[in-house]
Amino acid sequence: MTPAEQSAAARRICALAPIIPVIVVQQVTDAAPLARALVAGGLPALEVTLRTPCALEAIRAMADVEGGVVGAGTLLTPADVKAAKAAGARFGVSPGLTERLVKACEDEGLPLLPGAVTASEVMRAMEWGYDMLKFFPAGTSGGAAAIKALGGPLPQVRFCPTGGVSLANAPDYLALKNVACAGGSWVAPDAKVQAGDWAGIEALAREAAALPR
Ligand code: 3PG
Protein backbone atom coordinates (compact mmCIF):
# COMPACT_ATOMS: atom_id res chain seq x y z
CA MET A 1 0.00 0.00 0.00
CA THR A 2 1.64 3.25 -1.13
CA PRO A 3 1.86 6.24 1.21
CA ALA A 4 -0.68 8.06 -1.01
CA GLU A 5 -3.09 5.15 -0.61
CA GLN A 6 -2.37 5.09 3.13
CA SER A 7 -3.22 8.78 3.44
CA ALA A 8 -6.41 8.31 1.39
CA ALA A 9 -7.47 5.61 3.87
CA ALA A 10 -6.43 7.80 6.81
CA ARG A 11 -8.57 10.65 5.46
CA ARG A 12 -11.59 8.34 5.31
CA ILE A 13 -10.96 7.26 8.91
CA CYS A 14 -10.48 10.87 10.07
CA ALA A 15 -13.77 11.79 8.39
CA LEU A 16 -15.72 9.38 10.60
CA ALA A 17 -15.92 11.68 13.64
CA PRO A 18 -14.42 14.95 14.92
CA ILE A 19 -12.40 13.17 17.61
CA ILE A 20 -10.27 10.02 17.63
CA PRO A 21 -9.96 8.78 21.22
CA VAL A 22 -6.35 8.14 22.24
CA ILE A 23 -6.57 5.11 24.49
CA VAL A 24 -4.17 3.59 27.01
CA VAL A 25 -5.50 0.19 28.07
CA GLN A 26 -4.21 -1.14 31.38
CA GLN A 27 -6.42 -4.23 31.59
CA VAL A 28 -7.50 -6.21 28.58
CA THR A 29 -10.92 -6.88 30.15
CA ASP A 30 -11.64 -3.14 29.82
CA ALA A 31 -10.98 -3.11 26.07
CA ALA A 32 -14.26 -4.33 24.61
CA PRO A 33 -16.62 -2.43 26.96
CA LEU A 34 -14.55 0.74 26.48
CA ALA A 35 -14.69 0.41 22.69
CA ARG A 36 -18.43 -0.28 22.82
CA ALA A 37 -19.03 2.85 24.93
CA LEU A 38 -16.97 5.09 22.62
CA VAL A 39 -18.60 3.71 19.47
CA ALA A 40 -22.07 4.01 21.02
CA GLY A 41 -21.29 7.64 21.83
CA GLY A 42 -20.44 8.32 18.19
CA LEU A 43 -16.66 7.92 18.05
CA PRO A 44 -15.97 4.88 15.82
CA ALA A 45 -12.26 5.44 15.07
CA LEU A 46 -10.16 4.40 18.07
CA GLU A 47 -6.41 4.69 18.61
CA VAL A 48 -5.00 2.18 21.08
CA THR A 49 -1.49 3.22 22.07
CA LEU A 50 1.16 0.51 22.19
CA ARG A 51 2.30 1.66 25.61
CA THR A 52 1.03 -1.04 27.88
CA PRO A 53 1.79 -4.77 27.92
CA CYS A 54 -1.79 -5.66 26.98
CA ALA A 55 -2.17 -3.13 24.14
CA LEU A 56 -2.01 -5.67 21.30
CA GLU A 57 -4.44 -7.98 23.07
CA ALA A 58 -6.71 -4.96 23.63
CA ILE A 59 -6.64 -4.19 19.88
CA ARG A 60 -7.60 -7.82 19.22
CA ALA A 61 -10.53 -7.54 21.63
CA MET A 62 -11.68 -4.19 20.23
CA ALA A 63 -11.40 -5.28 16.60
CA ASP A 64 -14.56 -7.36 17.09
CA VAL A 65 -16.66 -4.47 18.36
CA GLU A 66 -19.33 -3.67 15.80
CA GLY A 67 -19.03 -0.28 14.18
CA GLY A 68 -15.53 0.34 15.48
CA VAL A 69 -12.41 1.05 13.41
CA VAL A 70 -9.50 0.21 15.66
CA GLY A 71 -5.99 1.44 15.05
CA ALA A 72 -2.69 1.21 16.87
CA GLY A 73 -0.89 4.27 18.15
CA THR A 74 2.68 4.94 19.22
CA LEU A 75 4.11 2.95 16.29
CA LEU A 76 7.86 3.46 16.51
CA THR A 77 9.43 0.50 14.73
CA PRO A 78 8.74 -1.94 11.88
CA ALA A 79 8.12 -4.59 14.55
CA ASP A 80 5.35 -2.41 16.01
CA VAL A 81 3.76 -2.12 12.57
CA LYS A 82 3.87 -5.88 12.03
CA ALA A 83 2.45 -6.63 15.47
CA ALA A 84 -0.30 -4.03 15.10
CA LYS A 85 -1.38 -5.42 11.75
CA ALA A 86 -1.36 -8.98 13.09
CA ALA A 87 -3.53 -7.89 16.03
CA GLY A 88 -6.15 -6.55 13.64
CA ALA A 89 -5.36 -2.83 13.62
CA ARG A 90 -6.91 -1.14 10.57
CA PHE A 91 -4.67 1.89 10.76
CA GLY A 92 -1.55 3.04 12.55
CA VAL A 93 -0.52 6.29 14.17
CA SER A 94 3.02 7.43 14.89
CA PRO A 95 4.29 10.49 16.74
CA GLY A 96 6.77 11.01 13.87
CA LEU A 97 7.91 9.46 10.60
CA THR A 98 10.96 7.47 9.62
CA GLU A 99 11.95 5.71 6.43
CA ARG A 100 11.77 2.34 8.18
CA LEU A 101 8.18 3.03 9.26
CA VAL A 102 7.19 4.04 5.72
CA LYS A 103 8.65 0.81 4.34
CA ALA A 104 6.98 -1.33 7.03
CA CYS A 105 3.55 0.22 6.42
CA GLU A 106 3.97 -0.27 2.66
CA ASP A 107 4.93 -3.92 3.17
CA GLU A 108 2.23 -4.68 5.76
CA GLY A 109 -0.50 -2.70 3.98
CA LEU A 110 -1.26 -0.64 7.07
CA PRO A 111 -2.53 2.92 6.53
CA LEU A 112 -0.30 5.20 8.59
CA LEU A 113 -1.12 8.57 10.08
CA PRO A 114 2.41 9.86 10.67
CA GLY A 115 3.37 12.79 12.85
CA ALA A 116 4.89 16.07 11.63
CA VAL A 117 4.94 19.61 13.01
CA THR A 118 7.55 21.69 11.20
CA ALA A 119 7.36 22.76 7.55
CA SER A 120 10.38 20.56 6.78
CA GLU A 121 8.82 17.53 8.48
CA VAL A 122 5.60 18.09 6.58
CA MET A 123 7.49 18.50 3.28
CA ARG A 124 9.45 15.31 3.91
CA ALA A 125 6.21 13.42 4.58
CA MET A 126 4.80 14.89 1.35
CA GLU A 127 7.89 13.71 -0.57
CA TRP A 128 7.06 10.18 0.52
CA GLY A 129 3.44 10.67 -0.54
CA TYR A 130 1.64 11.37 2.74
CA ASP A 131 -0.87 14.24 2.85
CA MET A 132 -2.84 13.32 5.98
CA LEU A 133 -0.67 13.90 9.04
CA LYS A 134 -0.85 13.89 12.79
CA PHE A 135 0.24 17.22 14.28
CA PHE A 136 1.90 16.16 17.53
CA PRO A 137 2.36 17.42 20.20
CA ALA A 138 -0.25 19.95 19.12
CA GLY A 139 -0.51 22.13 22.22
CA THR A 140 3.21 22.74 22.64
CA SER A 141 3.92 23.00 18.89
CA GLY A 142 1.99 26.19 18.36
CA GLY A 143 -1.54 24.83 18.50
CA ALA A 144 -4.22 25.90 16.07
CA ALA A 145 -2.30 29.04 15.05
CA ALA A 146 0.63 26.92 13.83
CA ILE A 147 -1.59 24.58 11.82
CA LYS A 148 -3.37 27.55 10.27
CA ALA A 149 -0.01 29.07 9.31
CA LEU A 150 1.22 25.80 7.73
CA GLY A 151 -1.94 25.85 5.60
CA GLY A 152 -0.63 28.91 3.76
CA PRO A 153 2.31 27.32 1.91
CA LEU A 154 1.14 23.70 2.35
CA PRO A 155 -2.64 23.76 1.73
CA GLN A 156 -2.77 20.24 0.31
CA VAL A 157 -2.04 18.66 3.69
CA ARG A 158 -4.71 17.83 6.28
CA PHE A 159 -3.89 17.41 9.96
CA CYS A 160 -5.14 15.52 12.98
CA PRO A 161 -3.82 17.56 15.94
CA THR A 162 -3.17 15.45 19.03
CA GLY A 163 -1.60 16.21 22.40
CA GLY A 164 -3.18 18.78 24.67
CA VAL A 165 -6.50 18.78 22.82
CA SER A 166 -9.54 19.13 25.07
CA LEU A 167 -13.28 19.62 24.73
CA ALA A 168 -12.64 23.32 25.37
CA ASN A 169 -9.95 23.93 22.73
CA ALA A 170 -10.99 21.33 20.13
CA PRO A 171 -13.29 23.83 18.34
CA ASP A 172 -10.26 26.09 17.62
CA TYR A 173 -8.62 23.21 15.75
CA LEU A 174 -11.75 21.82 14.11
CA ALA A 175 -12.64 25.24 12.68
CA LEU A 176 -9.52 25.15 10.46
CA LYS A 177 -9.97 23.96 6.90
CA ASN A 178 -6.74 21.95 7.03
CA VAL A 179 -7.85 20.01 10.13
CA ALA A 180 -9.76 16.80 9.45
CA CYS A 181 -10.28 15.73 13.05
CA ALA A 182 -8.39 15.78 16.36
CA GLY A 183 -7.12 13.13 18.73
CA GLY A 184 -7.52 13.20 22.49
CA SER A 185 -7.40 11.06 25.59
CA TRP A 186 -9.98 13.01 27.58
CA VAL A 187 -12.85 10.88 26.28
CA ALA A 188 -11.38 7.75 27.89
CA PRO A 189 -10.09 8.95 31.27
CA ASP A 190 -8.31 6.40 33.40
CA ALA A 191 -10.51 7.01 36.46
CA LYS A 192 -13.69 6.26 34.53
CA VAL A 193 -12.15 3.19 32.90
CA GLN A 194 -10.96 1.87 36.30
CA ALA A 195 -14.44 2.44 37.70
CA GLY A 196 -16.08 0.70 34.75
CA ASP A 197 -18.14 3.83 34.19
CA TRP A 198 -19.03 2.99 30.60
CA ALA A 199 -22.13 5.20 30.64
CA GLY A 200 -19.94 8.13 31.69
CA ILE A 201 -17.51 7.41 28.86
CA GLU A 202 -20.35 7.12 26.38
CA ALA A 203 -21.55 10.56 27.53
CA LEU A 204 -18.06 12.04 27.03
CA ALA A 205 -17.93 10.47 23.57
CA ARG A 206 -21.35 11.87 22.67
CA GLU A 207 -20.24 15.37 23.68
CA ALA A 208 -17.06 15.04 21.58
CA ALA A 209 -18.94 13.56 18.61
CA ALA A 210 -21.22 16.63 18.60
CA LEU A 211 -18.31 19.06 18.16
CA PRO A 212 -18.80 21.04 14.96
CA ARG A 213 -16.15 20.94 12.21
C1 3PG B 1 -0.70 10.89 23.40
O1 3PG B 1 0.04 10.38 22.57
O2 3PG B 1 -0.68 10.63 24.61
C2 3PG B 1 -1.71 11.79 22.84
O3 3PG B 1 -1.09 12.84 22.23
C3 3PG B 1 -2.76 12.18 23.79
O4 3PG B 1 -2.56 13.42 24.30
P1 3PG B 1 -3.60 14.01 25.34
O5 3PG B 1 -3.56 13.12 26.54
O6 3PG B 1 -3.10 15.40 25.61
O7 3PG B 1 -4.96 13.99 24.68
Side-chain angles (χ1 to χ4, degrees):
M1 180 180 247
T2 66
E5 289 165 346
Q6 293 175 43
S7 276
R11 281 183 183 234
R12 288 193 291 275
I13 290 162
C14 289
L16 294 173
I19 302 297
I20 297 180
V22 177
I23 300 168
V24 181
V25 183
Q26 305 289 356
Q27 283 194 106
V28 73
T29 47
D30 293 332
L34 173 57
R36 277 195 291 269
L38 291 166
V39 172
L43 302 180
L46 309 174
E47 176 190 340
V48 179
T49 58
L50 298 191
R51 289 185 213 166
T52 52
C54 71
L56 290 167
E57 228 186 307
I59 289 171
R60 244 177 238 113
M62 288 180 166
D64 290 336
V65 171
E66 212 186 314
V69 179
V70 182
T74 328
L75 298 183
L76 305 179
T77 66
D80 291 340
V81 172
K82 219 177 160 75
K85 177 76 181 189
R90 289 168 58 186
F91 66 99
V93 184
S94 178
L97 184 57
T98 68
E99 197 166 348
R100 295 174 74 214
L101 268 190
V102 176
K103 177 86 174 63
C105 287
E106 281 177 339
D107 290 351
E108 293 292 325
L110 186 71
L112 180 68
L113 180 63
V117 287
T118 66
S120 290
E121 287 166 0
V122 173
M123 287 165 64
R124 185 140 172 83
M126 287 168 67
E127 280 185 2
W128 270 313
Y130 292 99
D131 64 8
M132 179 68 231
L133 304 174
K134 167 169 165 155
F135 185 80
F136 172 83
T140 53
S141 302
I147 298 176
K148 186 176 182 187
L150 286 170
L154 307 166
Q156 56 279 69
V157 175
R158 290 280 173 284
F159 293 96
C160 169
T162 306
V165 180
S166 64
L167 185 69
N169 67 19
D172 298 342
Y173 290 106
L174 295 171
L176 300 176
K177 58 177 185 295
N178 58 344
V179 167
C181 67
S185 63
W186 87 88
V187 287
D190 213 37
K192 279 197 177 3
V193 174
Q194 301 299 323
D197 182 6
W198 311 124
I201 288 176
E202 185 179 330
L204 288 174
R206 187 156 289 123
E207 203 173 35
L211 284 164
R213 59 172 168 167

